[in-house]
Amino acid sequence: MSDALDDVTAKGIFPEISFTAKGDNEYVFANSIETAELQVKDLGTENFKKIKQVTLLGGDRVKWKQEAGFLNIKMPKKKPGHINIYVFRVD
């Protein structure tokens, strides 16, 4: 039982964005984002190729706009009582 008492795992849930790539696609993992829109600075036109589409895995296309400094993605509606983790495929 001491393991449970001494557990140092973070007790809070913090917003986080991470990336991975496979082939020509970039994948954006958005964890616990509370805002209505997500701005991804690394995928703006100044730093990244021109984006053709953004798709929510397991869902549909989402509204998005690539600007000079960032990629702006409109976040799906949050489900109450769930830890919301979204994965976007960027083509």
Side-chain angles (χ1 to χ4, degrees), residues 45-85:
T45 56
E46 293 175 351
N47 304 320
F48 196 70
K49 66 182 180 184
K50 182 174 167 75
I51 295 172
K52 297 175 190 166
Q53 72 178 4
V54 176
T55 307
L56 174 64
L57 292 188
D60 297 319
R61 288 185 181 167
V62 293
K63 291 187 179 186
W64 60 276
K65 184 175 184 181
Q66 186 181 28
E67 299 190 23
F70 57 87
L71 169 64
N72 191 51
I73 302 172
K74 183 173 166 92
M75 293 296 291
K77 291 190 180 196
K78 186 176 177 181
K79 296 178 181 177
H82 288 87
I83 297 173
N84 292 284
I85 301 172

Side-chain angles (χ1 to χ4, degrees), residues 3-69:
D3 286 344
L5 297 174
D6 298 328
D7 184 10
V8 293
T9 304
K11 304 301 184 245
I13 299 172
F14 302 98
E16 176 184 39
I17 299 172
S18 56
F19 304 90
T20 191
K22 184 174 182 181
D24 291 336
N25 298 324
E26 188 84 19
Y27 294 87
V28 178
F29 294 81
N31 304 328
S32 303
I33 305 299
E34 298 290 332
T35 57
E37 295 182 347
L38 174 66
Q39 291 187 346
V40 185
K41 294 179 182 176
D42 292 334
L43 300 181
T45 56
E46 293 175 351
N47 304 320
F48 196 70
K49 66 182 180 184
K50 182 174 167 75
I51 295 172
K52 297 175 190 166
Q53 72 178 4
V54 176
T55 307
L56 174 64
L57 292 188
D60 297 319
R61 288 185 181 167
V62 293
K63 291 187 179 186
W64 60 276
K65 184 175 184 181
Q66 186 181 28
E67 299 190 23

